[in-house]
Amino acid sequence: MVLDIPSRIGITQTLSLESGKEGDQFQVINPADPRFYKGPLASEIKPAAVGGTWYPRRPRAGANLGAGIVTLHLHGGAFVTGNGRIDHSGFVGKNWAEECGAAAAFVPQYRLSGYAGQNPFPAALQDSLTAHVFLLHELGIPAHQIVLSGNSAGGNLAVALLRYIEEFGHVLGLPTPRCAVLLSPWVSPFDYDVAGNPNQALDYLPKSFLCWGAETYAGHLPDARANPYITPLAAPFATPVPMLVSVGTAEIFHGAVTNWVEKMKELPENSVELYNENGASHDTFYSGNLIGFDESARVVAAKIREFL
């Protein structure tokens, strides 16, 4: 009910580039050089300035992070809700900084999709790339210290960004990150009819929310179900980047995620580790403090720390 009503109304929130209560934790970054936006990111939709929140604090210019890990985390919300700010992503940021051992985590507020053609694909993926290039080229963080992460729709974006780096990185001078952590990734957005899903009664994601997100993000594309940048399940790919994938066994996404992991494992170049979070509903790393899965989220964080 909490997600169903706003999903039926379908009003996408407006994002602000003002710092707000995040203060110095919040940072606005400008688009990268246009040459970075190639292939699926070369579009009539143009890159834009992106705001983001640092956890636990914003690194100072020229600060030496040593060999510490810096996480680029892409938040969830079905492409239509959410941001990187404390009220939405504070639990995720706290998990990365305190439980997973990252020196810093940056959570950008990529543009959200909405009805009437508001920020459809590839806007969110452009913004994800903008944040990644910023870490590499503006802050000078070595790629081997960057962890690419995402939860739910953000997990979809993280997979798409990793694919983009594999496809265009050698041309653009974008090295692969240290590893990727995918938390309840949305690998098949257009399979939003949950009728018949064995976990329908156990999870909190309604069809209306998933439909709103998938259709406003990529419903304008005739090949969205087969597009590798939108539907990872349809197109496994090879990458040298080690991946940890976490999914709850009570999630609506559980079957699709495990299917995708198996497809990825079939490619000999890939190293993919799957953690099945026993009895957990969707995305406890983000929502565990809200739905009574705090301890389960801490176990996921411990798995991530071990993986790193």
Side-chain angles (χ1 to χ4, degrees):
M1 183 67 72
V2 172
L3 290 174
D4 185 54
I5 293 175
S7 300
R8 293 178 184 275
I9 298 172
I11 300 176
T12 299
Q13 69 183 101
T14 300
L15 300 177
S16 171
L17 294 179
E18 298 296 323
S19 59
K21 74 176 185 181
E22 284 68 32
D24 196 46
Q25 281 182 255
F26 190 79
Q27 183 169 17
V28 177
I29 56 179
N30 292 317
D33 187 286
R35 71 182 180 86
F36 283 103
Y37 306 93
K38 299 176 70 66
L41 300 191
S43 167
E44 62 182 18
I45 299 163
K46 302 304 179 186
V50 182
T53 305
W54 285 98
Y55 298 90
R57 64 190 62 84
R58 177 177 172 178
R60 297 299 177 188
N64 182 10
L65 293 171
I69 288 171
V70 177
T71 301
L72 171 58
H73 184 85
L74 305 173
H75 69 79
F79 306 113
V80 290
T81 67
N83 53 63
R85 295 179 185 270
I86 295 169
D87 286 346
H88 184 268
S89 296
F91 188 64
V92 170
K94 180 177 182 290
N95 282 336
W96 270 112
E98 297 181 11
E99 303 290 339
C100 300
F106 184 62
V107 188
Q109 56 177 40
Y110 55 81
R111 283 169 288 174
L112 300 175
S113 299
Y115 289 118
Q118 180 181 349
N119 301 323
F121 177 88
L125 187 53
Q126 289 174 339
D127 295 347
S128 303
L129 177 65
T130 295
H132 185 61
V133 173
F134 170 75
L135 296 183
L136 287 169
H137 290 244
E138 297 297 322
L139 294 188
I141 299 170
H144 67 265
Q145 291 178 224
I146 296 176
V147 174
L148 177 58
S149 174
N151 63 291
S152 198
N156 178 294
L157 290 171
V159 174
L161 180 56
L162 187 58
R163 178 186 290 273
Y164 185 84
I165 294 169
E166 289 296 332
E167 187 170 356
F168 298 100
H170 64 289
V171 176
L172 299 173
L174 293 176
T176 54
R178 176 191 186 96
C179 61
V181 175
L182 308 172
L183 303 151
S184 304
W186 199 11
V187 296
S188 189
F190 283 86
D191 290 334
Y192 51 68
D193 189 349
V194 298
N197 188 299
N199 287 339
Q200 180 183 5
L202 303 175
D203 207 352
Y204 59 82
L205 295 177
K207 174 184 175 181
S208 56
F209 184 59
L210 302 175
C211 177
W212 176 29
E215 293 294 344
T216 57
Y217 181 60
H220 63 294
L221 299 176
D223 65 341
R225 289 180 178 271
N227 188 314
Y229 283 92
I230 295 166
T231 308
L233 182 59
F237 64 102
T239 173
V241 177
M243 285 179 273
L244 172 65
V245 182
S246 177
V247 63
T249 60
E251 287 198 48
I252 286 172
F253 292 174
H254 183 262
V257 170
T258 54
N259 189 5
W260 178 72
V261 167
E262 289 306 312
K263 288 185 175 184
M264 290 293 285
K265 283 183 173 181
E266 289 174 0
L267 300 174
E269 302 91 336
N270 291 347
S271 173
V272 186
E273 179 181 339
L274 175 64
Y275 171 61
N276 282 296
E277 192 180 353
N278 188 39
S281 57
H282 183 61
D283 198 5
T284 64
F285 195 79
Y286 156 70
S287 61
N289 62 325
L290 301 175
I291 60 175
F293 278 83
D294 303 64
E295 182 56 35
S296 194
R298 279 192 289 271
V299 173
V300 174
K303 291 288 183 183
I304 294 172
R305 189 173 192 129
E306 180 183 344
F307 172 73
L308 299 179

